[in-house]
Amino acid sequence: MGALPPPGFGRCAVTVLEAGLTRAQVAERVASGRTNHLPARSSRSLGAIVRANVFTWFNGLIGSLFVIMLIVGPIQDALFGFVIIFNALIGIVQEWRAKRTLDSLAIVGEARPRVRRDGAEEQVPSSGLVVDDVILLAPGEKIPVDGTVLESTVLEVDESLLTGEADPVRKDAGHEVLSGSFVVAGQGLMRAERVGAASHAAKLAAEAQEFTLVRSELRDGVAQIIKFLTYLLVPAGILQIIVQTSIAGGIRNGISRTVAGIVPMVPEGLVLLTSVAFAVGVVRLGRRNCLVQELPAIEGLARVDTVCLDKTGTLTEGGMRLAGIETLDPEATQARVREVLGALGALEERPNATMAAIIEACPAPEPGWTAQTVAAFSSARKWSGATFADERGTWLIGAPDILGADTPAADRAEQVGAGGLRVLLLANSPKELSAESTAANATAEMDPRPFALVILEQRIRDDAAPTLAYFERQSVNLKVISGDNAVSVGAVAQTLGLAGAEHPVDARDLPDDFEDQLESNSVFGRVTPRQKQQMVVALQSRGHTVAMTGDGVNDVLALKNADIGIAMGSGSGAARAVAQIVLLDERFATLPSVVAEGRRVVGNIERVSNLFLVKSFESFLLVVLTGIGRLPYPFLPRHSTLVGTLTIGAPSFFLALAPNLARARPGFVRRVLTFAVPAGLINGAASFVSYYLARLAPGATLPTEQTSAMITLFTASLAVLLLIARPLVWWKAALVGTMAGLFVLVTVLPVGRRIFQLQFGAWQQTVLSFAVAAVAAVVLEILWRWARARDVETTRTAEPTDEGDG
């Protein structure tokens, strides 16, 4: 981490050591496949989407039964197969839309490395890099491929994502650099050597993607439920086949009733809706210019209870303005200070927002300011500087409480910063810069002498205050962690109404074990990149689900370790590379929509999972009871299709896309099975009782018996739908009413009765069917209230309700 006498730095006349490849050489490498082409990590191919939606175990089972029913039964008993085909098509279309959205946004948000070709600098897509390309490196940029350093000017690289080493590593000419690391200070040139799948980054990306999928509780939960149902399906299916084919009075009728019992046990729509909900979430976020780089990030958003915010670029806008200069040294004049600032600014080829504001106000001085040694800015050191030739001295610029520690200059800077202004200290030094004197812990060795305060005005984002207020209403903890002066950060946070901002904490004063201080405070200043990472990990160790927002290279470690990393679109390439979500339009106000979308997806998948699983368990009980009693199964496949479509299939699509503000919590499988298993058994028992009572009626026939059972099953299933849809608002009431109306229409119209083979017995029998369903509905209501009370008792966590469904 040091300084190097530059052969020419930034605007001071860069020495061109490499002309780069010619166009012909690039074309030859492209033709031979030596490019950096890799599939986008945010999406999969159309073939993969089709396979995922078509070639599933359940689709294979139901598809086989569909073919059998087309052979042995009337077409109306094979309607369930057409539903599966329709569902698969919906899943493919929605995921394809999501893929197109992701791919188009990925192009917009992609970091474009700078290369030198034919002696000129140009930007190319990362996939456009080829072997032997000469790549220019600057602070904040991700190293896109593996290679060797050709030229180094104080080049420092952070390899912590690869090695875990906290300190930046000095890279001189001839040193190897690996993709997956990023530049934190200085600049340089490198030659691309390992590209595409051969690069270190490609291997890391593949591993990271696989790991992310494993950590999805929602996907794991659905898989566990399916595995559990498979164990039930096999013995129940065998029982159904044996009994129904032996008593049904014909092979065709036996097969039809066997299929009617097996198909409803399969929650085929659950997997589909999970995929569709994720895909629709991606498309919705895409419309808000949010690039979702890892699909499970949508699930993670729903679980976030703590958001860590970097001040610069998040609460404040990236650009700044030089508001004033306050001299501290008797020999300091405004003109002299501006001259020195102009000389320091001229050394920056790619200035950050702070130096850009200084350069705009302080143009480069007259020739004669030649840098002998340069120390590029680093987040660890908190300052940059240069030693100039011709006795112009050594000048440093950076944090007042670092360069001016324990001096009146630091106190004055804190007073000015209390107004929300950003303050830098310009200092001179009697010593020349060297590799040793620019180490992160060697500031005191430079013996800096305060010369002037440089005051910068930073504009607070217009949308910052309402965004913070939203998170406060949603019981989401907010932590502002910034590398800036704690008092200045606290002043900005106070103007935004952040609770606890009046007591900012200087991170340098924190003990090694700072979990308690982190929990009880909201604003932290002078936080190093490593401390940001440690803060995220500490919050996670206390059971929090943490989202981290940032845009700079100093946020990369924290973004990578957070449960959800959210980067700004104009941020450093390194920050965008490790984040799961990128806000391409820079709008901080988009964050509430991002969190709300995650909650909608996960909350509604849990909601509709109950519908599908109630059906599975009610069918399982009916199969067992009719098997034990050696009775004909009370339904044909067409009956199951009708009830399932009106009480589960159609409503679930609407409910899965509805607003839902409830924060997701662990225990998805437990909560769903707590209600779905007993509710399914209640509905199955009610249907069987209605069926059995109908068999006792004088003159009963199988069509009248199955009609009575279907009335009870539909009514009880509608009661479950009403419970799951709570809180009821107008559109949900209209949805339930429409489903009930369609069922009545089918039973009233002669064509409906004929297609679905419905035949009503005496009116007393119909009333009895509704009465059994009413009893089931009362028991279901009791079960629902008990399950909710048990859930509240189990979690004991404060969270917003889902009353925002309207």
Side-chain angles (χ1 to χ4, degrees), residues 484-806:
D484 290 351
N485 178 273
V487 175
S488 176
V489 177
V492 171
Q494 267 190 284
T495 63
L496 297 173
L498 180 65
E502 64 276 12
H503 303 296
V505 177
D506 191 315
R508 293 171 298 179
D509 299 331
L510 289 174
D512 293 337
D513 185 14
F514 53 69
E515 284 86 353
D516 292 337
Q517 290 88 340
L518 189 58
E519 285 278 6
S520 58
N521 292 281
S522 302
V523 179
F524 300 85
R526 288 291 176 243
V527 185
T528 65
R530 178 59 58 180
Q531 280 182 311
K532 286 188 178 185
Q533 178 194 34
Q534 292 169 342
M535 287 180 172
V536 167
V537 173
L539 288 167
Q540 291 170 327
S541 70
R542 291 290 183 97
H544 295 290
T545 302
V546 183
M548 172 72 197
T549 70
D551 65 345
V553 69
N554 58 327
D555 301 317
V556 170
L557 299 178
L559 288 169
K560 183 67 176 177
N561 280 270
D563 296 284
I564 299 295
I566 303 173
M568 296 296 179
S570 66
S572 69
R576 298 200 306 273
V578 301
Q580 287 94 351
I581 292 177
V582 181
L583 304 181
L584 296 173
D585 62 358
E586 303 290 309
R587 294 187 67 245
F588 184 50
T590 305
L591 272 182
S593 300
V594 172
V595 173
E597 189 60 35
R599 291 182 175 185
R600 183 195 64 79
V601 169
V602 176
N604 288 338
I605 288 176
E606 181 170 328
R607 186 199 298 266
V608 301
S609 294
N610 284 284
L611 293 176
F612 286 101
L613 297 180
V614 166
K615 179 193 70 170
S616 297
F617 289 109
E618 72 190 16
S619 301
F620 170 76
L621 183 62
L622 277 173
V623 167
V624 172
L625 292 177
T626 54
I628 293 174
R630 293 188 61 78
L631 300 172
Y633 193 73
F635 303 119
L636 292 171
R638 69 192 78 174
H639 300 140
S640 301
T641 301
L642 176 63
V643 174
T645 299
L646 295 181
T647 62
I648 301 170
S652 65
F653 271 99
F654 291 97
L655 294 176
L657 302 178
N660 193 323
L661 300 180
R663 183 193 304 148
R665 294 160 290 136
F668 162 71
V669 174
R670 174 186 56 78
R671 283 194 303 275
V672 169
L673 294 183
T674 296
F675 175 76
V677 173
L681 298 179
I682 290 168
N683 280 10
S687 301
F688 182 79
V689 168
S690 183
Y691 171 52
Y692 189 78
L693 292 176
R695 289 177 62 86
L696 302 178
T701 63
L702 186 57
T704 61
E705 295 163 8
Q706 65 192 23
T707 301
S708 295
M710 193 177 75
I711 290 173
T712 300
L713 178 61
F714 176 81
T715 307
S717 298
L718 203 66
V720 172
L721 176 60
L722 281 166
L723 293 174
I724 298 300
R726 291 181 179 176
L728 283 179
V729 290
W730 70 268
W731 68 267
K732 290 182 182 178
L735 174 65
V736 175
T738 301
M739 298 300 106
L742 289 174
F743 180 78
V744 171
L745 196 63
V746 168
T747 59
V748 169
L749 293 178
V751 64
R753 294 186 182 185
R754 185 174 65 255
I755 291 174
F756 290 97
Q757 199 173 327
L758 301 177
Q759 183 178 331
F760 290 89
W763 67 268
Q764 294 93 338
Q765 190 173 330
T766 303
V767 170
L768 186 60
S769 299
F770 280 115
V772 173
V775 173
V778 171
V779 178
L780 287 169
E781 176 69 31
I782 295 172
L783 170 65
W784 176 260
R785 296 190 179 189
W786 170 80
R788 299 279 286 188
R790 182 175 183 270
D791 184 37
V792 171
E793 183 67 26
T794 301
T795 57
R796 287 290 185 185
T797 55
E799 67 173 23
T801 66
D802 55 348
E803 300 293 334
D805 284 15

Side-chain angles (χ1 to χ4, degrees), residues 12 347 367-373 387-390 392:
C12 299
L347 301 178
W369 286 81
T370 303
Q372 290 181 326
T373 312
T387 295
F388 294 96
D390 300 328
R392 292 187 182 271

Side-chain angles (χ1 to χ4, degrees), residues 255-344:
I255 290 176
S256 292
R257 295 190 182 275
T258 298
V259 171
I262 293 176
V263 169
M265 290 180 62
V266 178
E268 73 287 341
L270 180 57
V271 178
L272 165 75
L273 273 179
T274 301
S275 299
V276 169
F278 274 106
V280 171
V282 167
V283 173
R284 285 183 171 181
L285 290 177
R287 290 174 183 160
R288 296 180 178 273
N289 285 310
C290 293
L291 170 60
V292 181
Q293 302 199 101
E294 295 178 14
L295 284 181
I298 292 182
E299 177 184 347
L301 289 170
R303 307 185 190 283
V304 166
D305 62 11
T306 303
V307 177
C308 294
L309 307 163
D310 180 47
K311 177 181 70 70
T312 306
T314 304
L315 299 181
T316 62
E317 294 181 351
M320 301 183 194
R321 184 183 68 85
L322 181 63
I325 295 172
E326 189 172 310
T327 59
L328 303 173
D329 189 287
E331 297 181 5
T333 64
Q334 290 283 328
R336 176 65 170 165
V337 172
R338 288 179 179 272
E339 184 181 25
V340 175
L341 292 176
L344 292 172

Side-chain angles (χ1 to χ4, degrees), residues 24 26 107 116 151 191 194 248 261 328 386 389 399 430 494 613 685 732:
V26 172
I107 292 173
R116 188 170 293 162
E151 177 183 312
R191 175 181 285 117
R194 291 187 297 276
L328 303 173
Q494 267 190 284
L613 297 180
K732 290 182 182 178

